[in-house]
Every structure is written in C-alpha cells, then in structure tokens.
C-alpha cells in the first residue's frame, strides 16, 4: 500500500511538473489597436525567450510600434518609435530556428537581418502559415519561432488590415501608428 502511494505521488508530481514546463510564460501585449496574449515556448526556444523577456522586463517595448505590416504575411514590431527612430538594442542572440516550431498563423518569431545570428528586439507575428520561413528555408537557417498568440487574435487580425504606405526609407508602415503601450508578464 505504501509503495503504491509513493508511486502514485511520484507520478502526480511528475505530471504537474510536465504541465508547468509545457505551459511556459505568457505575456500580454497592450497596443493602441487592442491587446493580445502570447504564450512563450521557453522549452524549445530558451535563449530566444530569455532574450525577449529581458526586453519585456526592462520596459524596452513601451511606445515602440508595429512598423511593418503586410496582410497575407506578417506584422513586425518592437524596434522603432512612432517617428521611425530605431531604438538601440543589446547583443544579438544565436538563432534557434531548428527547434521544431513552425511559422504558422499567430506564432511569434524573431526578426533578423541576413545574418542568422542578428536577432535582438524586433519580432513578428505570422498572420498566415509561412512554411517558407521554417528551418532551413529560405537561407539555410529560417526564422526562430518562440511562442503562440493564445488570446486576442482579433487584435492581430485588425492590425494586419490597416492601411500602410512608405515613410522615409521604409515601406509597409501603418499610416496611423500601431503603438505598443506595454508588454507585461502575466504568467511566469
């Protein structure tokens, strides 16, 4: 009886730990277009998630914008102010795109330059399935997915439909800024 109780307790503790590890951390993104929640996958993308949370905890994203919006592709933000000034960032992180996570609709991934290890603060949310961004496409590296929008998909849908145009050197910029008011951890 005692051995069975110990075994059952061990299994329950292991299951509880598994659920916590799988659940990850969630953040709420508050924007001028509405709010949404992202569940981060710190198990499959630990460096990317840690990097993103460092920016969240420092308040870096406050008053940045979604500066690139392409309906039928993605919405990108987290690096520019309303006047299209790029914010200084920390050290780039190594890419974690070979983690099994796919660039499907409503997933969040790190933006980067042609250098696969250049991601810092900017991120994008896929508004459709984008298998062409999955590892190893399009350049042998892909783009690192690190979470999924779990609430507020209607906000993502509203942002993807805004009118865009050129602003200085940049195209696909919303004509009326979509400002990230803040990002907060809601489930550690």
């Amino acid at each position: 009886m005692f051995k069975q109780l110990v075994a059952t307790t061990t299994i329950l503790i292991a299951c509880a730990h598994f659920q916590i590890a799988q659940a990850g951390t969630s953040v709420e993104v508050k924007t001028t277009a509405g709010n949404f929640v992202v569940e981060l996958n710190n198990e499959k993308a630990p460096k990317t998630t840690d990097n993103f949370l460092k920016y969240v905890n420092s308040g870096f994203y406050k008053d940045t914008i979604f500066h690139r919006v392409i309906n039928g592709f993605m919405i990108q933000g987290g690096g520019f102010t309303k006047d299209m000034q790029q914010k200084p960032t920390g050290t780039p992180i190594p890419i974690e795109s070979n983690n099994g996570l796919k660039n499907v609709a409503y997933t969040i991934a790190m933006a980067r330059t042609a250098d696969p290890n250049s991601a810092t603060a900017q991120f994008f949310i896929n508004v459709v399935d984008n298998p062409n961004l999955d590892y190893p496409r399009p350049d042998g590296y892909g783009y690192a997915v690190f979470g999924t929008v779990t609430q507020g998909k209607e906000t993502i849908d509203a942002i993807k439909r805004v009118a865009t145009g050129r602003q200085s050197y940049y195209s696909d910029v919303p004509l009326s800024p979509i400002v990230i008011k803040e990002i907060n951890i809601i489930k550690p």
Side-chain angles (χ1 to χ4, degrees):
M1 173 79 170
F2 180 72
K3 286 182 182 180
Q4 185 179 14
L5 180 61
V6 170
T8 304
T9 303
T10 303
I11 291 170
L12 288 173
I13 290 170
C15 289
H17 175 72
F18 180 76
Q19 289 174 340
I20 291 168
Q22 291 296 308
T25 300
S26 292
V27 295
E28 181 179 32
V29 182
K30 296 181 179 181
T31 80
T32 53
N35 304 338
F36 59 93
V37 173
V38 177
E39 183 177 307
L40 306 175
N41 193 322
N42 49 344
E43 181 181 316
K44 291 193 174 187
K47 292 175 186 171
T48 306
T49 300
D50 287 348
N51 176 70
F52 180 75
L53 290 174
K54 285 178 189 172
Y55 285 104
V56 167
N57 289 328
S58 73
F60 178 90
Y61 293 117
K62 182 177 173 41
D63 296 326
T64 60
I65 61 169
F66 281 96
H67 66 277
R68 188 171 172 227
V69 172
I70 304 173
N71 195 0
F73 182 39
M74 58 89 221
I75 61 175
Q76 181 175 338
F80 287 84
T81 62
K82 283 191 283 189
D83 56 357
M84 291 301 292
Q85 296 300 307
Q86 192 165 5
K87 292 183 74 171
T89 61
T91 305
I93 59 170
I95 194 164
E96 288 185 306
S97 57
N98 189 10
N99 61 16
L101 300 175
K102 304 296 183 189
N103 283 279
V104 296
Y106 304 108
T107 55
I108 187 171
M110 290 305 296
R112 62 173 176 83
T113 66
D115 176 354
N117 297 304
S118 62
T120 55
Q122 290 186 41
F123 59 87
F124 63 91
I125 297 171
N126 292 288
V127 299
V128 296
D129 293 352
N130 286 310
N132 57 314
L133 300 180
D134 292 340
Y135 175 85
R137 291 179 244 148
D139 57 1
Y141 299 98
Y143 288 79
V145 173
F146 64 102
T148 304
V149 175
T150 57
Q151 295 175 39
K153 291 178 182 176
E154 65 279 358
T155 298
I156 304 303
D157 293 341
I159 295 171
K160 76 180 183 184
R161 289 191 205 97
V162 300
T164 62
R166 286 195 64 79
Q167 187 170 343
S168 185
Y169 304 107
Y170 306 100
S171 58
D172 305 307
V173 178
L175 299 178
S176 181
I178 308 296
V179 180
I180 297 171
K181 297 190 274 187
E182 62 185 348
I183 302 179
N184 295 306
I185 296 172
I186 57 172
K187 182 180 156 198

